[in-house]
Amino acid sequence: MITFTYAVKDSDGTLEQLLRDDWKAGKKNIHELRMANAVTEAEGVPAVWRTPLIAGTELTFHLPEAHSEYEPLEVPGVKILQEDAHFIAVFKPAGIAVHPDGTSRESTMMNAVMAHIQEQGGTYAEHIQRLDKGTSGIVIVAKHPMAKAMFDRMIASNEITRLYNAEVEGRLKRLKGSVNMPIGRDRHHPTRRRVSMSGQTAVTHFKVIERKEDTTLIEATLDTGRTHQIRVHMAHLGHPVVGDNLYEASALPDGSYRLTAVETSFIHPFTGEKVVISTL
């Protein structure tokens, strides 16, 4: 059983309104909670769904047991940055994948997260974001299935903002700009993407932070989350990410490339508070 508590804020809304309108928890989740009497007040008394809640009332949510299949392993470089009852913000180093792909035996970020979850007595963790194996930075992980559903909805509606830092080849002339070019698969390469008029809409905004002798440091934000988006768009401008030889940059000796998700922000789906996680 997965449980968490919530203190009702300054609202005279009902439990049903809280779940439906404020949390946008989804009809299926709401129905299952209601049928199972899975929301209780003090001393385990089932909550009343259509009576206005009193501010300060503490609700306890009892979710069915859920399991994730990641093997718990220690993975160097993976760090927990922030955590509550609903999510974990994890720093993923470059060079490891977010999750196993079924073909590689290499340890991944989710193996390390599952080790952390099991130390707390938990059995469930699922990532709601991905980063390319060579990209370092912040990844959000849900700690229970309802949180996963709610964060997935936020991702789909672009309610989670990510800030990236990158070093690109050459000296960008513009101080800031946007690239609005669709991205699709490169039919000549199994993993590469390319700007393609038949691809998916992709919008990247960038701002110059520093110009070096042969490279430029930029900040980038995305309106969309396409595979390799920043890498493809910057290469399309003629300024590939330093070290990204998949997109025609010169390879670095260690095989890495210079792209990091340095900040993530969102309105917490359960508390309504602004959450900012940063490595800056």
Side-chain angles (χ1 to χ4, degrees):
M1 180 72 68
I2 299 170
T3 63
F4 64 87
T5 59
Y6 172 78
V8 176
K9 295 184 169 49
D10 300 329
S11 171
D12 59 355
T14 66
L15 173 58
E16 188 166 346
Q17 289 171 326
L18 172 70
L19 290 166
R20 183 189 66 219
D21 301 332
D22 296 347
W23 291 7
K24 296 180 174 61
K27 290 182 179 180
K28 181 181 178 181
N29 281 326
I30 294 171
H31 177 73
E32 290 176 347
L33 288 172
R34 188 168 187 169
M35 290 300 99
N37 284 325
V39 186
T40 59
E41 296 185 20
E43 299 180 358
V45 176
V48 179
W49 282 72
R50 293 185 176 176
T51 298
L53 296 165
I54 299 172
T57 299
E58 188 169 274
L59 301 173
T60 301
F61 291 78
H62 308 266
L63 306 183
E65 190 79 8
H67 296 267
S68 296
E69 298 302 321
Y70 307 109
E71 181 183 1
L73 298 169
E74 295 298 322
V75 184
V78 176
K79 299 177 182 178
I80 306 301
L81 301 175
Q82 191 168 322
E83 181 176 13
D84 67 7
H86 310 287
F87 78 91
I88 309 174
V90 185
F91 179 84
K92 182 193 83 68
I96 70 166
V98 168
H99 59 91
D101 63 6
T103 60
S104 173
R105 300 287 297 175
E106 294 181 355
S107 299
T108 70
M109 185 200 82
M110 287 306 301
N111 295 123
V113 171
M114 186 51 64
H116 174 76
I117 287 290
Q118 288 196 3
E119 286 176 359
Q120 300 178 327
T123 60
Y124 179 93
E126 295 292 342
H127 59 90
I128 61 138
Q129 299 165 308
R130 292 181 177 87
L131 290 177
D132 299 333
K133 184 175 181 179
T135 303
S136 60
I138 301 165
V139 179
I140 302 299
V141 175
K143 293 180 68 175
H144 56 80
M146 181 181 286
K148 176 71 163 65
M150 293 166 72
F151 277 112
D152 281 345
R153 175 191 58 78
M154 293 167 65
I155 287 281
S157 56
N158 203 30
E159 296 176 41
I160 298 179
T161 301
R162 264 177 156 177
L163 176 68
Y164 294 80
N165 280 358
E167 184 174 4
V168 301
E169 291 190 344
R171 292 171 60 86
L172 274 167
K173 293 180 180 179
R174 289 183 290 169
L175 285 176
K176 61 181 180 178
S178 299
V179 185
N180 185 352
M181 300 292 287
I183 291 175
R185 292 183 177 274
D186 186 335
R187 58 191 178 90
H188 301 294
H189 194 284
T191 59
R192 192 164 51 203
R193 301 296 194 271
R194 58 188 288 269
V195 166
S196 168
M197 291 306 104
S198 61
Q200 295 177 297
T201 301
V203 182
T204 302
H205 308 286
F206 66 87
K207 179 175 68 174
V208 171
I209 303 303
E210 180 185 353
R211 290 191 179 100
K212 297 187 176 183
E213 184 175 350
D214 299 312
T215 63
T216 305
L217 301 180
I218 65 167
E219 286 183 349
T221 57
L222 311 179
D223 286 353
T224 50
R226 308 304 177 203
T227 300
H228 299 182
Q229 181 170 322
I230 295 172
R231 299 165 64 188
V232 172
H233 275 169
M234 297 315 296
H236 182 73
L237 294 181
H239 298 278
V241 173
V242 168
D244 192 2
N245 61 341
L246 182 62
Y247 293 101
E248 312 305 327
S250 299
L252 295 172
D254 62 359
S256 67
Y257 54 82
R258 306 282 172 75
L259 178 61
T260 302
V262 295
E263 186 173 286
T264 295
S265 60
F266 54 87
I267 300 301
H268 197 297
F270 293 93
T271 68
E273 298 174 348
K274 178 72 176 286
V275 176
V276 179
I277 303 115
S278 178
T279 63
L280 296 174

